Amino acid sequence: MRRIFRISKFQVFLVAGLTLLAVFMLLPIVYIVNHAFKPFHELFLYPPTFIVKQPTVQNFYDLLLVTQTSIVPMSRYLFNSIFSTGLNVLATLLFSVLCAYPLSKHKFPGKNLIFSTIILSLMFAPETVQIPRYFAVSETGIMNTYLAHVLPLVAMPVGVFLMKQFIDQLPDALLEAAKLEGANEWTVFLRIVIPLCMPAVATIGILAFQSSWGNVETSTLFTEDETMKTLPFYVSTLTSGLANNVANQGVAAAVSLLLFIPNFVIFLLLQRKVISTMAHSGIK
């Protein structure tokens, strides 16, 4: 009780302010969830309501009816998304760690130039590399394959940056001590560097998952076979013509929730790792 009374007015104001900010940032999530369960007549209320008054699952039934009429089953799109996203996350983590470790703990000619080039690439919008990326995928002969969903997204400059900044925090004496004990380079990398950098690994995994799970570029540009397209692309075909389609707005609401849930769950599970990464990577 004494500790409670010792709380200053500034601390009370700070906690109250942060609580209000947290509630405010939760409003979009509340709206997405409630919007998916709104009946037809509540979807067009003005002003829109955040909390559904008469929740229903009819929107999800309508979504199933729409997907049953397609030639390729929805399960195929879902499998393509899960498989390609899993491969992309693993490949992105592998290349980011393998690139960041030598840039952080080794000396070689052109090291600063390579890292500067990676930082410079963060300035370019994804649209600026669509044409070169298309020619690269086309010339390598991986069109209409799972590699077409993975390779264009493997290079993640922000992942290399975060991982390098995190590895910079590891003391060189620790790595040198392991080498003096007889550990080779791969042993140091796998048994010391990787376990100590798990927060950064988790953060890069989240970023890679988000960029791959909702990506429609690979299905639009690099695959012509309908059986090789992903779930976000299929969903975009369902909702692309719904701007003026009153009857199917419930389907669009249900689809938005289904695509949002995986990202939300992944972030909740790994949020502590993200905070730890930002605290040790120079981003404050």
Side-chain angles (χ1 to χ4, degrees):
M1 292 299 295
R2 292 181 179 179
R3 293 181 179 179
I4 295 177
F5 288 112
R6 290 178 182 176
I7 297 177
S8 64
K9 294 182 179 180
F10 174 76
Q11 291 175 325
V12 174
F13 176 78
L14 182 62
V15 172
L18 292 177
T19 302
L20 292 176
L21 180 62
V23 172
F24 176 76
M25 298 189 69
L26 282 175
L27 291 180
I29 300 177
V30 174
Y31 181 80
I32 290 176
V33 175
N34 283 270
H35 195 64
F37 293 95
K38 288 181 180 178
F40 182 79
H41 64 277
E42 288 189 35
L43 291 172
F44 302 97
L45 288 178
Y46 185 83
T49 58
F50 278 89
I51 306 300
V52 58
K53 298 178 181 178
Q54 298 176 350
T56 179
V57 294
Q58 184 61 41
N59 295 332
F60 296 93
Y61 286 138
D62 294 340
L63 175 61
L64 292 176
L65 292 177
V66 172
T67 56
Q68 286 177 356
T69 60
S70 60
I71 299 176
V72 180
M74 185 178 176
S75 58
R76 177 66 183 185
Y77 297 105
L78 180 60
F79 172 79
N80 292 340
S81 290
I82 295 175
F83 185 72
S84 61
T85 300
L87 286 180
N88 180 65
V89 171
L90 293 176
T92 301
L93 289 174
L94 178 64
F95 283 101
S96 296
V97 175
L98 290 178
C99 181
Y101 177 62
L103 288 175
S104 176
K105 295 301 182 182
H106 290 269
K107 297 180 180 180
F108 54 89
K111 169 184 174 180
N112 294 330
L113 178 61
I114 294 175
F115 185 65
S116 299
T117 304
I118 294 174
I119 298 300
L120 183 63
S121 64
L122 294 172
M123 301 175 58
F124 293 92
E127 291 76 13
T128 60
V129 296
Q130 281 185 348
I131 295 178
R133 185 180 292 174
Y134 175 81
F135 281 111
V137 173
S138 178
E139 292 297 326
T140 52
I142 61 175
M143 299 283 286
N144 293 314
T145 64
Y146 287 112
L147 290 177
H149 294 293
V150 177
L151 290 184
L153 304 177
V154 164
M156 182 180 289
V158 67
V160 177
F161 172 76
L162 289 176
M163 184 61 68
K164 179 187 178 301
Q165 297 301 101
F166 202 94
I167 296 177
D168 285 343
Q169 307 297 321
L170 302 181
D172 295 334
L174 176 63
L175 306 183
E176 293 297 332
K179 293 179 181 179
L180 290 176
E181 292 293 332
N184 57 28
E185 197 67 48
W186 282 106
T187 302
V188 173
F189 177 71
L190 295 175
R191 294 195 175 186
I192 298 178
V193 175
I194 295 297
L196 293 177
C197 294
M198 286 309 295
V201 171
T203 303
I204 298 173
I206 292 176
L207 297 177
F209 179 86
Q210 291 178 341
S211 64
S212 179
W213 177 255
N215 184 274
V216 297
E217 176 188 350
T218 56
S219 295
T220 304
L221 300 179
F222 309 138
T223 57
E224 298 177 357
D225 187 357
E226 193 67 24
T227 59
M228 292 302 301
K229 297 185 182 295
T230 58
L231 182 62
F233 174 82
Y234 176 63
V235 168
S236 68
T237 61
L238 293 177
T239 59
S240 60
L242 296 182
N244 297 318
N245 192 336
V246 176
N248 288 327
Q249 287 301 313
V251 174
V255 165
S256 300
L257 178 61
L258 292 178
L259 290 180
F260 168 75
I261 287 177
N263 286 319
F264 184 64
V265 171
I266 295 265
F267 180 78
L268 286 181
L269 294 176
L270 302 177
Q271 60 176 330
R272 292 186 179 179
K273 302 294 185 181
V274 176
I275 296 174
S276 178
T277 302
M278 297 308 172
H280 292 83
S281 61
I283 301 178
K284 297 183 180 179

